[in-house]
Amino acid sequence: MKQRIMDSTVRFFSEKGYVATSIQDIADDCGIAKGSLYKFFPSKEDLFIEVHLAKQNQLLADIAEIRANPDLSLQEIFIRETESQLNFFVQNKFIMKDILEVNATEGKITEFLLQLRANLLTMSKEGVIRRFGEAVEPHVWDLIVMYAGIMHEYLFLLVFENAPLNIREISEYMVDRYEEMAENVIRKNPKPILRTDMMAMYMDASCMNLFQPKHEQIETLLAQLSSSVKELPCANHRRTELQEAIQILQSELALESPKMVLLRAILHFLENEPELKGTAVQLEKLVCRS
């Protein structure tokens, strides 16, 4: 029944869009009471999230299968990855349309879409580094943004304008032009616009597991901080200070009513260490939100 509900949801989202589709529409289509549907999905937001998550997992699995093929050259892998993404969004046009329709004030969905975007960016980063090697790493985020921009414009023509374009030809053309651009960036080695530390903070904030309980998210971030401190290239006394700060933070968070002023002070102290900033900022959002 759960899969039947999700299949119905995809059909309605494709035909009417997220905003115009009601829970009653889907329940009627499945031949069940609205109350029965809520046993599987507590809200329309939850249904949106599960449908979109399932679709993205399908895309990630397709990309993983392409990358695992030992018979393909690095260039062909890149072309097929591009082709797979274009085909995916054309076959699931409702995804791009839903994203444009969703109200930006709907916090749960907005956070979830940030998470999905972070997943796609991570996938693209892995693909670019695989194709061009370690030499591209200082420029990887700028190149990813350029790739995403090119992809977006072709998708807009395919999805919203129904342009009669050949996806394989687009993929080959995109990769050919992109390789020229990437090789030129590597050769000229310009100053990056998007620094790794800047994007790490964004990715840390975007990749938090939306379905993980808050206390588990906090525990995960604290463990990340402790692990990162051990690897820092700093003097022993500085490492000791940071470890003590994390221990105080853990002790305070274990209390029923932690002192918010103390929490903020410790987190700001940790944020002064560039390698810890992204994790500390995300932790601050969790523990110091109103």
Side-chain angles (χ1 to χ4, degrees), residues 70-288:
D71 298 326
L72 302 178
S73 66
L74 290 177
Q75 184 185 55
E76 181 60 24
I77 287 174
F78 203 14
I79 290 171
R80 292 196 186 188
E81 286 184 24
T82 302
E83 186 178 14
S84 182
Q85 289 189 63
L86 290 169
N87 274 317
F88 175 82
F89 284 105
V90 169
Q91 292 166 8
N92 299 282
K93 293 182 178 181
F94 76 93
I95 293 177
M96 289 183 67
K97 293 177 180 178
D98 279 356
I99 291 172
L100 291 177
E101 279 190 356
V102 168
N103 189 331
T105 62
E106 293 186 77
K108 193 171 184 179
I109 288 181
T110 301
E111 290 179 20
F112 173 71
L113 292 177
L114 283 173
Q115 181 185 335
L116 291 191
R117 176 171 170 75
N119 291 343
L120 290 175
L121 289 174
T122 298
M123 180 186 72
S124 296
K125 180 183 178 184
E126 293 169 352
V128 170
I129 293 175
R130 172 195 288 264
R131 176 65 186 93
F132 301 105
E134 294 181 0
V136 80
E137 290 202 36
H139 311 284
V140 69
W141 288 114
D142 289 314
L143 287 170
I144 288 169
V145 167
M146 294 176 194
Y147 178 82
I150 298 169
M151 174 76 71
H152 178 272
E153 292 306 315
Y154 279 118
L155 277 174
F156 191 90
L157 291 170
L158 289 164
V159 173
F160 293 99
E161 302 295 335
N162 293 313
L165 302 175
N166 184 290
I167 290 178
R168 175 67 188 190
E169 289 179 359
I170 295 174
S171 303
E172 291 175 345
Y173 186 84
M174 271 187 64
V175 168
D176 197 30
R177 302 287 75 72
Y178 189 75
E179 287 181 340
E180 292 173 353
M181 182 169 59
E183 289 164 2
N184 191 46
V185 168
I186 293 171
R187 179 174 57 82
K188 288 189 172 182
N189 194 28
K191 180 182 177 181
I193 300 297
L194 299 176
R195 302 186 313 274
T196 299
D197 60 334
M198 178 193 308
M199 292 304 294
M201 183 170 68
Y202 168 80
M203 295 296 286
D204 284 345
S206 300
C207 287
M208 288 304 298
N209 188 340
L210 190 64
F211 305 105
Q212 189 180 32
K214 180 177 176 180
H215 72 278
E216 290 184 10
Q217 294 184 38
I218 291 172
E219 290 173 3
T220 298
L221 290 170
L222 287 170
Q224 288 177 4
L225 284 173
S226 297
S227 177
S228 297
V229 167
K230 294 176 183 177
E231 304 297 326
L232 285 178
C234 63
N236 286 334
H237 75 274
R238 174 61 175 168
R239 184 176 290 103
T240 300
E241 286 181 343
L242 293 167
Q243 289 172 334
E244 289 176 351
I246 293 171
Q247 289 172 1
I248 296 171
L249 191 60
Q250 289 174 316
S251 299
E252 194 65 25
L253 285 170
L255 300 176
E256 186 174 343
S257 300
K259 298 181 179 65
M260 299 306 295
V261 172
L262 180 57
L263 292 179
R264 288 193 174 95
I266 296 173
L267 287 165
H268 288 167
F269 172 73
L270 294 172
E271 287 168 18
N272 287 328
E273 195 67 39
E275 289 85 351
L276 306 180
K277 184 172 182 178
T279 306
V281 166
Q282 183 60 24
L283 188 55
E284 184 177 13
K285 288 182 179 180
L286 281 174
V287 303
C288 298

Side-chain angles (χ1 to χ4, degrees), residues 10-17 21 94:
V10 169
R11 187 165 62 255
F12 272 99
F13 283 3
S14 299
E15 295 173 358
K16 299 176 62 175
T21 298
F94 76 93

